[in-house]
Amino acid sequence: MKVLTLNFLTCAVKACKSSTASFPLHPKDCELVSDTIEANPALIYNILPRVDWAALMTTASELGFPTLPAQAPTKEELEADEKMMGELHTLLLETQISEGMLRCGNCGHEYRVKEGIANFLLPNHLV
Amino acid sequence: MDYMIRFTQVHETFRLAEIEALAVLEGIHLEVLSYSPSSPFCFVKLPSEDAARRLVKRSILAKAIYEVWGSGSNYLDLHDNVRGLSQHVWPLYKTCSFKFSVDSFQGSRSTTEQRKLIEEFRFLGFDGPIKMKGAEQDFCISEEFQFDAAALGVHQPQAVHLGRYLGGSEREIIGKYDLKKRKYICTTSMDAELALITANITLAAPGKLFYDPFVGSGSFPVACAHFGALAFGSDIDGRSIRGKGKGKPDLVANFIQYGLTNQFGDSFVADLTNTPLRAAKLFDGIVCDPPYGVREGLKVLGCRDPTKGKEPIFRDGKAHHTEESFIPPKKPYSFLAMLDDILDFATLSLVDGGRLSFWMPTSNDLDQEIQIPIHPCLQITSVCTQEFNRWSRRLITYRRIPDSEVVAGVAREQRTKETGVNADDLNPFRKGYFQGFKAAFSSGKLSTSLAALRPDYEVFD
Ligand SMILES: C[S@@+](CC[C@H](N)C(=O)[O-])C[C@H]1O[C@@H](n2cnc3c(N)ncnc32)[C@H](O)[C@@H]1O
Ligand SMILES: [Zn+2]
């Protein structure tokens, strides 16, 4: 599962949605792999406004990536900063969680990631 | 000059929807001058020759586009019309290499007849060499014969046109995505042609994010990825994403087969009615074929018995639901409620101007028809129908209108969330399928076509 996707996901439990603690989910005992994906600046520009930057900062630090700037770069900044663009591409699109758990900070429920596929199905008592 | 789109004569009700979507995608002002479901020739006004080429270049249902040099109800009229409409451009093509062909719809012409028709255009005064392959300009004589002309002994077309070829479409890629050659398919994989058309109607394009919440074997994400979008998908059935096990093909195998791995977003296991996606404008397009509820395909998380399973179960001091082998219970759900859920989800998750397309079945009996669901934030942009004997399926497409344009006060009638446990009670289509269509179902003919189109879901729990 891509770091980008992690930024789009929160806890599946309805009661958790309103709590800020449920997002982002926290990777636990995660194995990371990296895929090579063709650079696609237009895609990154389109993605950036949809990324929750604060959550991405949390995820990056939890996964052991270098600290991101406190504010999301603008399109102009990215156009001028090839290195930043490359790093974002690597973090958002190339880095994948292959195995591990994702933990909700609100209810504590853990979602399993197996072979890169996260499972968000809930047991009945959480539906 | 006007332009003529040469459509294929299949999936007629999808043709204008696709072309109109492509006009939106390319930012081209398109005016349809004449169109008939029974004809493959459609006349349009466009700002330029370049716009004409861009309009059809990724179409699946158009074959080509032409600059119109003339039309008539017979050849005398056509020749006159060509003189009147196009004489001023003849000098431009005086010396270039060229080719003529004849396209007879619902009719046929021998080579001798074709040659004769072509020679009658000698008055155009072209002096360049004739090249059967790679000519600089291709001209096409298009003939429309009435339906069943041959059987009725009719030898003259009812309309004829002359056009200069400008560009072709992407129709030939249907073969590349043919399900028969695809690595990973399931019983409900969407036909390649219809999946590609759906992706066009939903405006899939490079740089955009697309999502299918009922991804199955991934037919829609593959089609959207073909057009350059980054494609995501999820399904309540993990096996549909993972495949049958180690070394066996899975959803990603299709992206690998077609060289689309750069366009693969992600796949995960989730129930749309308990989605883990955060409520934010994340996607440019949502495309899906939801389960119709025939033979228990439509399920959501939860126990059938509402009194059960309210507490976690512990075994040997370990919470059962935390074990890897745990399979969460599922229960049947209403198809109509699911349609509402899809609309609500799309309203939250689409960017302004983003599109939702989904397929839904309906009975051809008016009294059993399933109404097209509506939502104040979603404007219907097209409804296309694929007809079968007793039922049809429709592709319905909506545009997410910006909140500022939503008409206040038109609250949507909230459907009562049915809580029945019987799949028939929950799903009118299922009921019709098994009861209303019974006569047809047992006639043999329909049951085979139904089985081919919407075969059984595997029952899973
Ligand atoms: C018609 S199939 C989609 C097939 C897919 N378009 C393809 O080309 O392979 C419907 C899918 O919806 C899934 N499904 C059923 N109930 C669901 C739910 N509540 N949430 C998410 N997916 C569900 C089924 O597992 C099935 O794969
Ligand atoms: Zn939670």
Side-chain angles (χ1 to χ4, degrees):
Chain A
M1 187 175 71
K2 290 186 191 336
V3 172
L4 171 65
T5 315
L6 188 54
N7 195 267
F8 287 173
L9 296 165
T10 171
C11 183
V13 176
K14 288 201 172 83
C16 285
K17 301 270 186 208
S18 56
S19 154
T20 49
S22 66
F23 177 73
L25 297 171
H26 304 289
K28 204 182 112 185
D29 308 327
C30 280
E31 273 172 43
L32 298 185
V33 291
S34 177
D35 270 356
T36 310
I37 289 175
E38 216 170 80
N40 188 345
L43 178 62
I44 298 284
Y45 299 142
N46 203 12
I47 284 175
L48 266 191
R50 306 175 197 189
V51 165
D52 184 308
W53 192 260
L56 185 66
M57 290 176 66
T58 307
T59 304
S61 88
E62 287 176 355
L63 292 177
F65 277 80
T67 314
L68 294 174
Q71 219 114 80
T74 62
K75 189 177 173 203
E76 291 69 35
E77 283 165 352
L78 271 187
E79 273 164 352
D81 190 343
E82 225 170 274
K83 184 164 164 276
M84 178 75 183
M85 177 59 123
E87 281 170 7
L88 269 182
H89 175 79
T90 302
L91 177 65
L92 289 170
L93 298 173
E94 296 189 320
T95 307
Q96 314 241 11
I97 298 176
S98 61
E99 300 287 329
M101 304 298 277
L102 302 169
R103 185 173 185 281
C104 169
N106 190 52
C107 69
H109 189 69
E110 293 182 356
Y111 300 96
R112 193 180 306 273
V113 183
K114 223 172 86 186
E115 290 164 20
I117 299 165
N119 186 334
F120 290 95
L121 300 187
L122 298 169
N124 190 59
H125 68 276
L126 292 177
V127 174
Chain B
M1 293 170 103
D2 295 338
Y3 300 91
M4 181 185 88
I5 300 168
R6 171 46 158 119
F7 282 120
T8 62
Q9 200 56 29
V10 293
H11 301 311
E12 290 87 344
T13 67
F14 294 70
R15 301 185 302 186
L16 275 189
E18 190 199 34
I19 277 295
E20 279 164 358
L22 293 175
V24 170
L25 190 65
E26 291 287 331
I28 296 170
H29 181 77
L30 164 77
E31 188 191 333
V32 178
L33 301 171
S34 78
Y35 173 83
S36 158
S38 58
S39 167
F41 306 109
C42 167
F43 292 82
V44 296
K45 261 206 184 334
L46 291 167
S48 68
E49 203 179 305
D50 168 63
R53 288 196 183 91
R54 282 191 289 123
L55 180 67
V56 304
K57 74 168 191 278
R58 40 175 278 193
S59 171
I60 300 299
L61 291 171
K63 285 181 165 174
I65 192 157
Y66 299 86
E67 179 182 73
V68 179
W69 281 34
S71 292
S73 52
N74 56 53
Y75 275 95
L76 272 179
D77 285 359
L78 173 62
H79 296 155
D80 277 353
N81 196 235
V82 168
R83 285 194 181 89
L85 282 182
S86 67
Q87 200 147 19
H88 63 289
V89 293
W90 298 352
L92 295 175
Y93 307 102
K94 194 162 179 63
T95 57
C96 63
S97 61
F98 69 99
K99 176 188 135 183
F100 266 76
S101 54
V102 180
D103 174 8
S104 306
F105 174 65
Q106 291 177 166
S108 67
R109 294 287 196 180
S110 67
T111 342
T112 326
E113 282 176 304
Q114 289 192 6
R115 199 171 308 129
K116 199 164 153 277
L117 293 174
I118 292 168
E119 274 167 11
E120 284 173 7
F121 283 96
R122 203 176 294 144
F123 66 85
L124 294 172
F126 294 165
D127 295 335
I130 296 171
K131 266 195 183 168
M132 291 323 283
K133 269 214 173 85
E136 283 165 76
Q137 300 293 335
D138 284 359
F139 295 88
C140 185
I141 302 167
S142 305
E143 301 189 301
E144 289 181 64
F145 287 81
Q146 72 185 78
F147 181 68
D148 251 0
L152 298 168
V154 174
H155 299 297
Q156 288 308 316
Q158 52 189 9
V160 278
H161 319 282
L162 179 69
R164 182 172 70 89
Y165 178 87
L166 297 178
S169 71
E170 262 211 289
R171 186 159 177 80
E172 75 287 348
I173 55 147
I174 296 171
K176 170 177 172 189
Y177 290 102
D178 191 344
L179 291 182
K180 288 194 212 84
K181 293 180 266 171
R182 189 171 299 179
K183 284 251 152 59
Y184 181 57
I185 56 169
C186 66
T187 48
T188 55
S189 292
M190 179 62 68
D191 162 68
E193 178 172 11
L194 292 171
L196 290 160
I197 295 166
T198 308
N200 266 340
I201 291 180
T202 327
L203 314 181
K208 292 188 178 182
L209 304 187
F210 269 63
Y211 174 56
D212 179 351
F214 307 98
V215 74
S217 63
S219 309
F220 292 121
V222 162
C224 296
H226 167 79
F227 291 118
L230 187 69
F232 294 79
S234 62
D235 201 287
I236 198 170
D237 186 358
R239 294 176 309 179
S240 76
I241 293 170
R242 273 193 206 98
K244 292 219 158 73
K246 279 233 179 314
K248 298 264 171 60
D250 57 3
L251 197 152
V252 180
N254 291 338
F255 284 79
I256 297 171
Q257 176 183 0
Y258 299 123
L260 293 172
T261 47
N262 288 326
Q263 264 61 53
F264 177 69
D266 238 318
S267 58
F268 51 91
V269 184
D271 168 11
L272 180 71
T273 70
N274 290 277
T275 181
L277 284 159
R278 63 181 161 91
K281 297 182 182 297
L282 300 175
F283 300 111
D284 300 275
I286 296 170
V287 199
C288 61
D289 184 19
Y292 304 165
V294 174
R295 314 208 189 202
E296 305 278 291
L298 173 52
K299 295 227 176 166
V300 295
L301 292 171
C303 283
R304 263 174 208 258
D305 182 343
T307 60
K308 274 198 185 144
K310 287 290 154 210
E311 298 296 328
I313 299 158
F314 286 87
R315 280 186 197 160
D316 308 326
K318 204 172 178 240
H320 181 42
H321 70 270
T322 61
E323 283 165 39
E324 217 180 310
S325 59
F326 174 73
I327 298 170
K330 299 184 192 80
K331 62 180 183 190
Y333 191 60
S334 147
F335 178 65
L336 299 178
M338 187 59 103
L339 291 181
D340 285 350
D341 293 337
I342 295 171
L343 265 57
D344 286 338
F345 173 77
T347 298
L348 289 175
S349 311
L350 283 176
V351 300
D352 289 351
R355 287 194 178 193
L356 160 70
S357 277
F358 61 79
W359 287 82
M360 64 171 264
T362 188
S363 161
N364 290 351
D365 293 342
L366 280 181
D367 59 334
Q368 286 183 39
E369 193 187 343
I370 300 176
Q371 294 304 313
I372 294 170
I374 53 167
H375 191 288
C377 301
L378 299 169
Q379 175 195 41
I380 296 177
T381 56
S382 63
V383 177
C384 310
T385 310
Q386 186 187 21
E387 302 260 1
F388 304 111
N389 208 343
R390 292 296 184 88
W391 67 289
S392 343
R393 56 177 177 179
R394 295 176 175 152
L395 175 65
I396 305 166
T397 306
Y398 306 78
R399 185 179 76 98
R400 170 65 160 103
I401 51 182
D403 288 335
S404 59
E405 289 173 26
V406 175
V407 183
V410 276
R412 185 159 58 121
E413 182 190 325
Q414 202 51 52
R415 221 186 291 271
T416 41
K417 298 263 172 196
E418 290 99 316
T419 46
V421 284
N422 178 314
D424 270 359
D425 295 342
L426 291 170
N427 293 295
F429 181 73
R430 175 192 161 90
K431 198 168 175 177
Y433 186 106
F434 287 120
Q435 297 169 13
F437 316 153
K438 230 171 215 148
F441 197 63
S442 57
S443 77
K445 189 169 160 231
L446 182 65
S447 64
T448 44
S449 70
L450 274 174
L453 284 155
R454 282 307 292 240
D456 303 353
Y457 288 103
E458 280 175 58
V459 180
F460 57 87
D461 48 326

